[in-house]
C-alpha cells in the first residue's frame, strides 16, 4: 500500500473482474473521490467504456487489454458525473491483477482540439464561409472538451438590439433553439445581449426547473471595434472555474480574430471581384512601367492573355498612330503624381485597331513617391456594340451558350409557320436531368455548371444541324426536331439522348452517373398551336418523371385528361384545407404483454363534398408534389396532439401518438419548430409524440436524415421506422440513427401462418430490434392466429384490423376505455 501511495502518478490496481483492489490518493483525488469510496467498486465507475465499444461491460481498461482501442481519446468520469480526457496505461501484474496508470489529459486535449477547430474554421473563412456556416461545427468541437448542458452561438443584430441564436448544442438546447431572438426589451436581459452591448464577458446565475444552479456566461467575439457574435455557455457552478473561464475567453478572442479575417476577406473579395469583373479593362504596373496584373476585360479587349501581358511594358500595344510627344506628355503627368486621361488607338493581338479612352492614376506611398500605376480603359467601340450584346444576353443562356426559354418560344412559332406551309412534321422534346439538384448540393454549383455544359454538348450531339436545342430551366432542355417522317423517330432520339445522359462523368476523383426523362409532343398530330405544343411536351415530361428514371412519354389525350384531373384535385385540396374537409381517424397499437393500448397512429382522411371519401393514396402524393403537404402535416399534427391531450385529461397518459412524415417535411426547415410549438401549446410531453418515417425516406439521404433525426431526438420526440423490411436500409445506419421503434411491414405479417420464410423474416426483425434496444410493432394483424404467433415470437405490440380499423375520435375513446385502466 505504501508503495503506490508514494508514487506521484495516479495508480489503480484491479483484479481480473475489474474490481478496484487499491488506489492511491493521487488517483482518488483525480476523480474527486476518497480512496475508501472506490475500494471494492468496479473500475467502470470511473473509467467507463468508450462510445466506440459501449457494450464492453468492464469499462475502457478491458478495451485497452483486448486491443479494441483505436486512436481515439479515452475519458474518465468524476464523482459529479463530469467526464474528462485521460491517458491510460494498463500493466499486468504477476498475481493476475492489473495496474492502471492514469494521467489527466485535459490540457493537451483542449489545446489540440481548439487548434484543430481554429485551423478548420480559418480554412473555411478563407474560402468565403461566414459564422452561420460553421457555428454548429465550433459547438461540436467545444462539446468534445466541455460537455456542458448548453452551449450556443449567436449573431449580434444591431437593428433588433438583440442576439439571434444560430446554433445550439447540449441536453438543455431547448433553452436557446436556433432562430430564437433575445433582445434588450426582454423582461430579463440575457447575458448574451449585455455581452454584445458592453463588448466584454458577462455572467449570471440561473436555475433549472429542479432548482439546480448553473453559471451562464456569454463571451463576445470582438472584431476591431465591433461585435460579430457571441458564445454562451451554461455550466454547473462547480465546473466553471477560473481555468475553464480563461480558456473560453481565449477561444472567443481567437474566434473574433478569425472572424475579422472573414470580414477582411469578404471586402477584399468584393474589391477583387469588382475590378476583375469590371467591364472596363484594367492593368496595374510597378513604378518603372512593367505590368504586374491585368483583369479579364483587358485580355478580352487586347487579345493577350494574362501570362502574355505580365512583365511587359504597355508599349507592346502601341499602334504607332500617336506621336512620341503624346506619350512624353503622358509620362510627365503621371510621374509628377497626377492622373492622366486621354483618347488613343491601340493594336489588338490579331493586328486590328481599337479606340479607347484611357485614365492612368499613380499610386503614392506615405512619402509621396510613386509605387504603382493603375490604368483603366474605356472601349468606345464596345459602347456602340452594347445594344447588340444586350440583345444576346436576353436571348441566350450564359452558361451553355444555348438559346433560352424566350428565344425558344419565338423560334418554335417561326418553325411551325414554315412547317405548316410545306406539310412538315416536327417534334418538341422536353428533357430533364434526374437528381441534378443532388449534385449541386454535394459537389457544389461549380461542378453542377460543368456537368450542365457536358449535358448540353451531349444533347446537341444527338440531333442534326437543322434541329434546334435550348436550355429552358436549370436542368431542363428543349429540342425542336424538324422534318421527322414518323413520330417514332422522336422516340428514338429521346432514347438516344437519355442513354447519353446516363454515360458516367468523371469529376476529379468522383464518377457521376445521372439519368434523364423526356416528354414529346408532335406537330401537327397533337396540336398546331405552339403554346399548346410546349404545354403537351411539359405534361409528357411530368408523366415520364413520375414513371421513373430514364423514361420518355409521348403526349396523348388520356395524359391530358389525367393532368387536368390532377390539377382539379390540387385545387380542391386547397379549398379543403380552408373549409376543414380533412379529419383524422386513429388506429390503436396494443401491447401484447398487457393487452393495453400503448399508442395510436393518426391517419388523415378527406371527405370531398361531391366525391365523398378520397383515397389517401391519391391526395397525399398530390400534396407532396404541390407543397400542400406542409400545411396538411401541420393540421394532422395539431389535431393528433389535441386528441392525445384530451385522452391525457381523461387519465390515459402512458400512450404515444404517431404521425406519418413525408419527404417534403425533410425539406421544410421549420417543421421541428412547428412540432415544438404544437407540443408546447397543448402541454403534451415530447416523449409521447412519435414520427413515423419509411426506410426509403431515411436512406434517400442518410447523412441528412441522421442530422434531422438527431435534432428530433434531442427534442425528446420518438422516431419509428415504418414498413420495415421492404426498403434497402443499412444496419450500420440503423444502428446510428436515434430510432425508438421498428414497424414490421404488413406484407410479412399477411402470410406469416403459412409461409415459413415470412416467419423467419419476422423473427429476425424482432431479434434485430431487441438487440438494438428498440420496440417492435407488427402491422396488418388480421386474425387471432397471427396475434398468438407474433406474441410467441416476442413481438412487443401489434396493429391491424383484428384489433380495430381506423376509428373516429369518439369510437377510439370507447375502445380505449375498454382496453385500458386509467393511470
Amino acid at each position: 500500500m505504501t508503495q503506490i501511495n508514494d508514487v506521484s502518478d495516479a495508480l489503480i490496481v484491479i483484479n481480473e473482474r475489474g474490481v478496484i483492489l487499491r488506489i492511491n490518493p493521487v488517483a482518488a483525488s483525480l476523480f474527486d473521490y476518497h480512496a475508501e469510496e472506490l475500494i471494492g467498486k468496479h473500475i467502470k465507475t470511473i473509467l467507463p467504456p468508450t462510445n466506440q465499444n459501449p457494450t464492453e461491460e468492464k469499462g475502457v481498461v478491458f478495451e485497452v487489454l483486448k486491443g479494441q482501442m483505436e486512436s481515439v481519446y479515452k475519458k474518465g468520469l468524476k464523482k459529479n458525473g463530469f467526464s474528462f480526457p485521460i491517458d491510460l496505461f494498463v500493466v499486468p501484474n504477476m498475481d493476475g491483477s492489473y495496474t492502471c496508470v492514469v494521467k489527466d489529459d485535459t490540457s493537451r486535449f483542449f489545446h489540440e482540439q481548439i487548434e484543430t477547430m481554429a485551423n478548420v474554421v480559418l480554412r473555411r473563412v478563407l474560402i468565403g464561409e461566414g459564422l452561420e456556416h460553421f457555428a454548429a461545427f465550433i459547438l461540436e468541437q467545444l462539446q468534445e472538451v466541455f460537455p456542458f448542458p448548453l452551449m450556443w452561438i449567436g449573431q449580434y443584430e444591431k437593428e433588433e438590439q438583440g442576439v439571434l441564436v444560430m446554433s445550439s448544442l447540449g441536453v438543455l438546447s431547448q433553452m436557446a433553439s436556433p432562430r430564437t431572438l433575445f433582445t434588450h426589451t426582454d423582461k430579463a436581459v440575457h447575458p448574451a445581449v449585455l455581452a454584445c452591448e458592453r463588448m466584454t464577458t458577462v455572467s449570471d446565475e440561473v436555475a433549472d426547473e429542479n432548482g439546480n444552479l448553473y453559471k451562464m456566461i456569454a463571451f463576445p467575439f470582438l472584431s476591431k471595434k465591433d461585435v460579430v457574435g457571441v458564445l454562451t455557455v451554461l455550466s454547473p457552478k462547480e465546473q466553471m472555474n477560473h481555468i475553464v473561464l480563461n480558456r473560453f475567453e481565449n477561444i472567443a478572442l481567437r474566434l473574433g480574430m478569425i472572424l475579422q479575417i472573414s470580414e477582411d476577406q469578404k471586402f477584399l473579395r468584393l474589391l477583387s471581384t469588382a475590378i476583375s469583373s469590371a467591364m472596363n479593362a484594367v492593368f496595374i504596373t510597378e513604378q518603372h512601367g512593367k505590368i504586374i496584373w491585368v483583369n479579364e476585360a483587358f485580355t478580352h479587349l487586347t487579345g493577350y492573355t494574362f501570362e502574355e501581358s505580365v512583365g511587359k511594358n504597355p508599349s507592346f500595344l502601341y499602334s504607332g498612330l500617336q506621336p512620341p510627344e503624346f506619350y512624353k506628355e503622358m509620362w510627365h503627368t503621371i510621374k509628377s503624381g497626377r492622373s492622366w486621361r486621354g483618347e488613343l488607338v491601340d493594336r489588338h493581338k490579331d493586328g486590328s485597331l481599337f479606340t479607347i479612352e484611357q485614365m492612368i492614376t499613380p499610386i503614392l506611398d506615405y512619402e509621396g513617391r510613386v509605387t504603382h500605376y493603375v490604368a483603366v480603359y474605356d472601349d468606345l467601340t464596345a459602347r456602340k456594340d452594347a445594344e447588340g450584346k444586350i440583345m444576346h444576353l436576353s436571348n441566350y443562356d450564359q452558361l451553355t451558350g444555348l438559346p433560352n426559354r424566350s428565344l425558344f418560344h419565338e423560334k418554335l412559332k417561326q418553325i411551325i409557320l414554315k412547317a405548316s406551309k410545306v406539310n412538315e412534321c416536327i417534334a418538341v422534346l422536353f428533357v430533364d436531368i434526374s437528381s441534378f439538384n443532388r449534385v449541386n448540393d454535394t459537389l457544389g454549383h461549380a461542378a453542377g455548371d460543368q456537368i450542365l455544359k457536358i449535358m448540353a454538348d451531349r444533347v446537341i450531339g444527338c440531333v442534326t444541324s437543322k434541329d434546334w436545342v435550348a436550355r429552358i430551366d436549370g436542368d431542363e432542355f428543349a429540342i425542336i426536331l424538324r422534318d421527322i417522317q414518323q413520330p417514332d423517330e422522336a422516340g428514338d432520339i429521346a432514347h438516344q439522348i437519355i442513354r447519353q445522359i446516363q454515360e458516367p462523368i468523371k469529376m476529379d476523383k468522383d464518377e457521376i452517373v445521372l439519368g434523364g426523362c423526356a416528354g414529346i409532343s408532335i406537330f401537327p398530330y397533337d396540336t398546331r398551336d405552339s403554346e399548346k405544343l410546349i404545354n403537351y411536351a411539359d405534361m409528357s415530361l411530368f408523366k415520364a418523371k413520375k414513371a421513373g428514371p430514364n423514361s420518355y412519354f409521348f403526349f396523348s389525350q388520356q395524359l391530358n385528361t389525367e393532368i387536368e384531373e390532377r390539377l382539379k384535385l390540387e385545387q380542391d385540396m386547397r379549398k379543403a384545407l380552408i373549409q376543414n374537409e380533412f379529419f383524422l381517424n386513429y388506429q390503436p397499437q396494443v401491447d401484447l404483454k398487457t393487452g393495453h393500448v400503448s399508442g395510436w397512429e393518426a391517419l388523415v382522411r378527406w371527405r370531398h363534398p361531391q366525391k365523398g371519401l378520397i383515397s389517401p393514396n391519391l391526395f397525399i402524393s398530390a400534396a407532396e408534389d404541390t407543397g400542400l403537404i406542409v400545411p396538411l402535416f401541420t393540421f394532422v399534427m395539431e389535431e393528433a396532439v389535441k386528441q392525445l391531450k384530451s385522452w391525457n385529461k381523461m387519465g390515459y397518459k402512458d400512450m404515444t401518438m404517431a404521425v406519418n412524415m413525408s419527404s417534403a417535411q425533410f425539406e421544410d426547415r421549420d417543421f421541428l419548430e412547428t412540432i415544438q410549438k404544437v407540443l408546447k401549446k397543448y402541454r403534451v410531453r415530447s416523449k409521447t409524440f412519435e414520427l413515423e418515417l419509411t426506410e426509403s425516406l431515411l436512406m434517400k439521404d442518410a447523412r441528412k436524415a441522421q442530422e434531422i433525426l438527431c435534432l428530433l431526438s434531442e427534442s425528446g420526440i420518438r422516431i419509428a421506422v415504418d414498413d420495415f423490411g421492404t426498403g434497402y436500409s443499412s444496419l450500420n445506419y440503423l444502428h446510428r440513427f436515434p430510432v425508438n421503434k421498428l414497424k414490421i411491414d404488413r406484407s410479412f405479417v399477411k402470410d406469416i401462418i403459412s409461409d415459413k420464410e415470412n416467419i423467419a423474416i419476422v423473427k429476425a426483425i424482432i431479434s434485430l430490434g431487441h438487440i438494438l434496444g428498440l420496440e417492435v410493432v407488427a402491422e396488418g394483424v388480421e386474425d387471432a392466429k397471427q396475434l398468438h404467433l407474433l406474441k410467441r415470437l416476442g413481438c412487443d405490440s401489434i396493429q391491424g384490423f383484428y384489433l380495430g380499423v381506423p376509428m373516429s375520435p369518439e369510437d377510439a375513446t370507447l375502445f380505449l376505455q375498454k382496453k385500458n385502466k386509467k393511470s
Side-chain angles (χ1 to χ4, degrees):
M1 179 70 75
T2 305
Q3 291 178 345
I4 71 167
N5 285 351
D6 293 340
V7 178
S8 60
D9 288 330
L11 299 181
I12 308 165
V13 180
I14 63 172
N15 64 19
E16 73 279 358
R17 297 190 307 276
V19 177
I20 298 174
L21 304 176
R22 285 174 288 170
I23 181 168
N24 71 353
V26 178
S29 175
L30 180 62
F31 294 96
D32 292 341
Y33 284 93
H34 294 297
E36 56 269 19
E37 293 181 277
L38 291 173
I39 300 297
K41 295 285 182 68
H42 198 281
I43 189 65
K44 68 180 180 181
T45 305
I46 54 176
L47 295 175
T50 65
N51 291 334
Q52 189 175 349
N53 293 289
T55 56
E56 172 56 67
E57 296 180 355
K58 294 183 181 180
V60 69
V61 173
F62 289 87
E63 293 181 58
V64 172
L65 286 170
K66 294 176 183 177
Q68 295 174 327
M69 292 298 297
E70 294 183 6
S71 55
V72 296
Y73 281 103
K74 299 171 281 292
K75 291 188 178 181
L77 192 65
K78 290 182 180 287
K79 186 176 181 180
N80 62 5
F82 189 75
S83 62
F84 64 102
I86 60 166
D87 267 345
L88 173 65
F89 304 92
V90 184
V91 181
N93 299 322
M94 296 291 293
D95 61 359
S97 64
Y98 303 96
T99 298
C100 307
V101 184
V102 185
K103 293 184 179 180
D104 187 345
D105 205 26
T106 302
S107 180
R108 182 170 70 89
F109 182 68
F110 166 77
H111 286 103
E112 287 183 3
Q113 195 79 357
I114 298 311
E115 192 65 30
T116 300
M117 178 194 74
N119 289 338
V120 171
V121 171
L122 182 59
R123 285 197 298 271
R124 294 176 71 167
V125 160
L126 293 176
I127 64 172
E129 292 188 2
L131 182 59
E132 67 276 10
H133 297 106
F134 46 75
F137 168 77
I138 292 172
L139 294 178
E140 289 168 3
Q141 299 305 301
L142 292 178
Q143 190 78 14
E144 286 290 320
V145 188
F146 307 104
F148 291 147
L150 172 63
M151 285 191 282
W152 59 268
I153 289 177
Q155 179 174 288
Y156 185 45
E157 303 284 344
K158 287 186 179 179
E159 294 184 1
E160 301 285 347
Q161 289 189 309
V163 175
L164 180 67
V165 179
M166 304 172 77
S167 184
S168 61
L169 198 61
V171 294
L172 296 178
S173 58
Q174 70 275 9
M175 293 175 62
S177 54
R179 309 308 301 168
T180 302
L181 180 65
F182 298 105
T183 68
H184 196 81
T185 57
D186 294 339
K187 186 176 181 181
V189 182
H190 198 283
V193 178
L194 296 176
C196 290
E197 291 178 347
R198 300 173 185 175
M199 301 179 69
T200 187
T201 302
V202 174
S203 66
D204 196 4
E205 285 192 1
V206 297
D208 63 14
E209 56 187 10
N210 298 318
N212 299 315
L213 287 177
Y214 295 91
K215 268 278 190 185
M216 180 177 285
I217 308 179
F219 305 89
F221 301 149
L222 302 180
S223 173
K224 289 185 179 176
K225 296 182 179 180
D226 229 343
V227 176
V228 293
V230 62
L231 167 64
T232 304
V233 177
L234 187 71
S235 160
K237 290 184 66 177
E238 65 275 9
Q239 294 177 13
M240 183 54 73
N241 54 41
H242 72 280
I243 296 175
V244 176
L245 184 68
N246 287 339
R247 284 174 174 170
F248 270 102
E249 287 184 332
N250 288 334
I251 291 167
L253 180 63
R254 190 162 185 182
L255 288 172
M257 295 170 64
I258 292 175
L259 291 171
Q260 178 59 56
I261 295 174
S262 174
E263 294 299 312
D264 293 342
Q265 284 287 314
K266 286 179 184 177
F267 187 67
L268 289 174
R269 274 194 295 272
L270 178 64
L271 290 179
S272 176
T273 302
I275 298 173
S276 297
S277 61
M279 292 183 64
N280 295 86
V282 180
F283 69 83
I284 301 173
T285 76
E286 42 87 87
Q287 60 181 337
H288 301 297
K290 286 188 177 181
I291 295 173
I292 60 172
W293 183 86
V294 300
N295 71 349
E296 191 174 344
F298 178 91
T299 64
H300 285 312
L301 178 64
T302 65
Y304 291 94
T305 65
F306 183 93
E307 293 75 15
E308 291 172 328
S309 305
V310 170
K312 291 184 178 179
N313 190 285
S315 58
F316 77 101
L317 297 172
Y318 289 178
S319 63
L321 299 180
Q322 284 76 230
E325 292 77 15
F326 177 90
Y327 296 105
K328 185 177 180 180
E329 185 271 332
M330 178 186 75
W331 278 105
H332 175 75
T333 301
I334 60 178
K335 281 185 176 180
S336 66
R338 292 177 289 131
S339 296
W340 178 89
R341 182 190 293 271
E343 188 176 306
L344 66 156
V345 178
D346 273 348
R347 190 175 297 279
H348 191 276
K349 184 180 180 180
D350 64 9
S352 61
L353 302 176
F354 57 92
T355 304
I356 57 170
E357 184 178 40
Q358 185 181 48
M359 180 175 180
I360 303 176
T361 303
I363 305 299
L364 310 178
D365 64 14
Y366 64 94
E367 293 181 350
R369 293 175 300 193
V370 175
T371 61
H372 297 84
Y373 298 101
V374 177
V376 180
Y377 285 179
D378 188 5
D379 183 6
L380 302 182
T381 308
R383 289 183 183 177
K384 298 176 183 178
D385 295 339
E387 290 183 4
K389 289 183 178 179
I390 291 171
M391 183 66 69
H392 186 273
L393 288 171
S394 64
N395 286 304
Y396 288 86
D397 171 49
Q398 298 307 297
L399 177 66
T400 62
L402 293 173
N404 61 17
R405 180 182 289 272
S406 65
L407 185 56
F408 172 78
H409 280 243
E410 290 301 316
K411 192 67 178 179
L412 181 60
K413 290 178 183 177
Q414 296 171 14
I415 292 174
I416 285 177
L417 188 63
K418 292 180 180 178
S420 300
K421 295 178 181 178
V422 294
N423 295 321
E424 183 181 306
C425 180
I426 66 172
V428 173
L429 275 68
F430 275 19
V431 177
D432 178 83
I433 311 298
S434 304
S435 304
F436 178 73
N437 288 337
R438 189 179 64 199
V439 174
N440 267 342
D441 294 340
T442 55
L443 299 182
H445 289 282
D449 288 348
Q450 189 176 344
I451 289 172
L452 280 174
K453 290 179 182 178
I454 294 171
M455 291 302 180
D457 291 339
R458 289 182 177 182
V459 172
I460 292 171
C462 294
V463 300
T464 65
S465 58
K466 66 182 178 181
D467 301 320
W468 224 72
V469 180
R471 182 187 175 203
I472 59 173
D473 204 352
D475 56 358
E476 202 168 301
F477 297 89
I479 303 124
I480 304 173
L481 300 176
R482 302 186 62 177
D483 194 22
I484 61 172
Q485 302 303 311
Q486 296 291 335
D488 286 349
E489 290 181 28
D492 293 340
I493 292 175
H495 179 66
Q496 184 182 349
I497 290 172
I498 291 170
R499 285 183 60 185
Q500 285 297 311
I501 290 172
Q502 290 178 277
E503 287 293 316
I505 300 173
K506 291 186 178 179
M507 301 285 291
D508 296 328
K509 297 180 181 179
D510 299 311
E511 186 172 82
I512 311 301
V513 179
L514 297 172
C517 292
I520 309 168
S521 60
I522 306 292
F523 170 91
Y525 300 114
D526 295 327
T527 180
R528 303 182 73 88
D529 180 84
S530 64
E531 292 301 320
K532 286 184 179 179
L533 205 61
I534 288 170
N535 288 339
Y536 292 166
D538 199 22
M539 289 179 187
S540 306
L541 176 61
F542 179 82
K543 183 75 172 179
K545 289 195 285 187
K546 282 293 180 184
N550 308 318
S551 304
Y552 66 89
F553 268 80
F554 283 90
F555 173 77
S556 67
Q557 195 55 47
Q558 179 185 355
L559 175 59
N560 191 26
T561 303
E562 289 177 11
I563 297 293
E564 287 176 356
E565 289 176 354
R566 180 65 172 248
L567 291 173
K568 182 65 169 64
L569 182 68
E570 292 170 8
Q571 293 169 0
D572 288 351
M573 280 188 66
R574 296 181 192 279
K575 292 179 184 177
L577 282 166
I578 298 170
Q579 297 171 0
N580 297 319
E581 294 172 13
F582 290 102
F583 63 95
L584 298 190
N585 279 167
Y586 302 92
Q587 190 168 32
Q589 296 173 359
V590 173
D591 188 310
L592 283 174
K593 290 182 180 178
T594 64
H596 292 170
V597 175
S598 58
W600 297 88
E601 181 178 355
L603 301 166
V604 64
R605 299 291 184 259
W606 177 14
R607 184 174 286 108
H608 193 283
Q610 285 80 41
K611 300 177 182 178
L613 285 174
I614 304 290
S615 169
N617 292 334
L618 288 176
F619 70 79
I620 292 294
S621 62
E624 289 176 338
D625 291 339
T626 58
L628 291 173
I629 194 70
V630 175
L632 183 60
F633 174 81
T634 303
F635 163 79
V636 171
M637 183 182 59
E638 179 139 2
E639 288 296 305
V641 171
K642 184 168 36 173
Q643 181 59 56
L644 183 60
K645 180 64 176 178
S646 173
W647 285 332
N648 288 166
K649 287 181 178 179
M650 293 170 63
Y652 304 105
K653 296 181 179 179
D654 297 327
M655 301 184 302
T656 58
M657 177 64 75
V659 172
N660 289 285
M661 187 176 184
S662 78
S663 58
Q665 261 64 58
F666 266 40
E667 306 303 325
D668 178 18
R669 297 181 178 179
D670 300 324
F671 85 93
L672 178 56
E673 184 180 350
T674 303
I675 294 173
Q676 290 171 332
K677 283 182 179 178
V678 173
L679 293 174
K680 186 176 180 181
K681 176 180 177 181
Y682 292 103
R683 297 182 180 179
V684 168
R685 295 170 296 168
S686 57
K687 68 178 183 179
T688 61
F689 183 74
E690 190 170 86
L691 284 174
E692 291 192 5
L693 305 97
T694 62
E695 279 186 282
S696 55
L697 171 58
L698 291 175
M699 298 310 299
K700 184 177 181 181
D701 188 341
R703 185 179 298 176
K704 183 177 180 181
Q706 185 175 8
E707 291 175 4
I708 294 173
L709 294 189
C710 286
L711 288 174
L712 291 168
S713 181
E714 287 168 7
S715 299
I717 295 165
R718 290 170 55 84
I719 307 297
V721 179
D722 199 9
D723 302 337
F724 188 78
T726 61
Y728 45 92
S729 65
S730 159
L731 293 182
N732 178 43
Y733 277 114
L734 185 61
H735 173 66
R736 287 164 53 188
F737 288 155
V739 173
N740 305 99
K741 181 184 291 185
L742 294 183
K743 298 189 74 176
I744 304 173
D745 187 70
R746 65 185 67 248
S747 62
F748 299 119
V749 176
K750 180 181 177 183
D751 299 320
I752 192 173
I753 300 300
S754 58
D755 191 328
K756 291 183 179 180
E757 187 176 326
N758 276 8
I759 294 176
I761 292 171
V762 170
K763 186 176 181 180
I765 293 173
I766 293 170
S767 298
L768 172 65
H770 289 167
I771 289 170
L772 295 176
L774 308 180
E775 180 185 348
V776 181
V777 179
E779 296 183 285
V781 178
E782 298 182 355
D783 58 45
K785 289 182 180 180
Q786 292 173 341
L787 183 151
H788 293 308
L789 178 54
L790 288 165
K791 187 174 183 179
R792 196 164 69 246
L793 292 174
C795 189
D796 299 304
S797 305
I798 60 169
Q799 178 180 342
F801 286 1
Y802 179 66
L803 299 173
V805 298
M807 312 171 193
S808 66
E810 296 77 18
D811 291 341
T813 301
L814 291 174
F815 183 89
L816 182 59
Q817 289 170 339
K818 291 178 182 178
K819 285 281 185 182
N820 290 29
K821 293 180 181 180
K822 295 182 181 179
S823 57

